[in-house]
Amino acid sequence: MAVLLFFLYGVQFAVARDGGQWEQTDPEVRQWYRSLMQPDNPSVSCCGEADAYWCDEIHVKDSKTFCNITDDRDNEKLRRTPVPIGTEIEIPDRKLTWKYGNPTGHSVVFLSSGGSVYCFVQGGGV
């Protein structure tokens, strides 16, 4: 029983929120969002577009990686929790991924509604 509780405690559940707001998105980009998995937990999705924010201002401070939100898209239209432009997000090393490329033209951070980082994918094309 203790092993089961330890396993359940260690697993992070991420539920992608898709309310149809991405139907007009380029199919290649939509598929990219759907294919992303958390680098530290490869059986769990990074979530979807409703959890994704452009975070193009990247810097390192005290050996930690940070990005600042640069996403000016309409949060209501995207059905996502607003995160103000300029908000600094610490990116844990275990959340950095580049395995799947990035067709968006932006660095993208995937955040839970509470602000936890699911994944971070640096921009730079496919």
Side-chain angles (χ1 to χ4, degrees):
M1 181 68 167
V3 172
L4 177 62
L5 289 174
F6 177 78
F7 175 77
L8 290 175
Y9 179 76
V11 174
Q12 295 179 0
F13 294 96
V15 180
R17 296 173 286 127
D18 183 355
Q21 67 272 38
W22 301 100
E23 291 174 6
Q24 302 301 316
T25 302
D26 177 323
E28 176 188 348
V29 174
R30 185 172 47 236
Q31 180 56 38
W32 176 77
Y33 278 111
R34 290 180 178 164
S35 70
L36 290 172
M37 304 303 276
Q38 294 185 24
D40 61 334
N41 196 351
S43 64
V44 179
S45 169
C46 284
C47 285
E49 297 99 328
D51 306 295
Y53 300 83
W54 298 339
C55 206
D56 293 315
E57 295 177 11
I58 303 164
H59 56 280
V60 176
K61 176 170 51 175
D62 297 325
S63 300
K64 296 179 182 179
T65 302
F66 295 85
C67 71
N68 291 82
I69 298 295
T70 56
D71 199 333
D72 60 356
R73 296 176 293 170
D74 184 344
N75 290 304
E76 188 173 324
K77 181 179 175 186
L78 298 176
R79 299 182 188 175
R80 64 181 185 183
T81 304
V83 177
I85 291 175
T87 300
E88 184 177 72
I89 308 291
E90 181 179 349
I91 309 298
D93 289 342
R94 70 183 189 284
K95 295 299 186 178
L96 297 167
T97 187
W98 53 87
K99 177 178 175 181
Y100 303 96
N102 182 344
T104 68
H106 296 276
S107 293
V108 181
V109 64
F110 294 82
L111 300 173
S112 71
S113 58
S116 296
V117 175
Y118 291 132
C119 301
F120 177 79
V121 185
Q122 192 165 344
V126 198

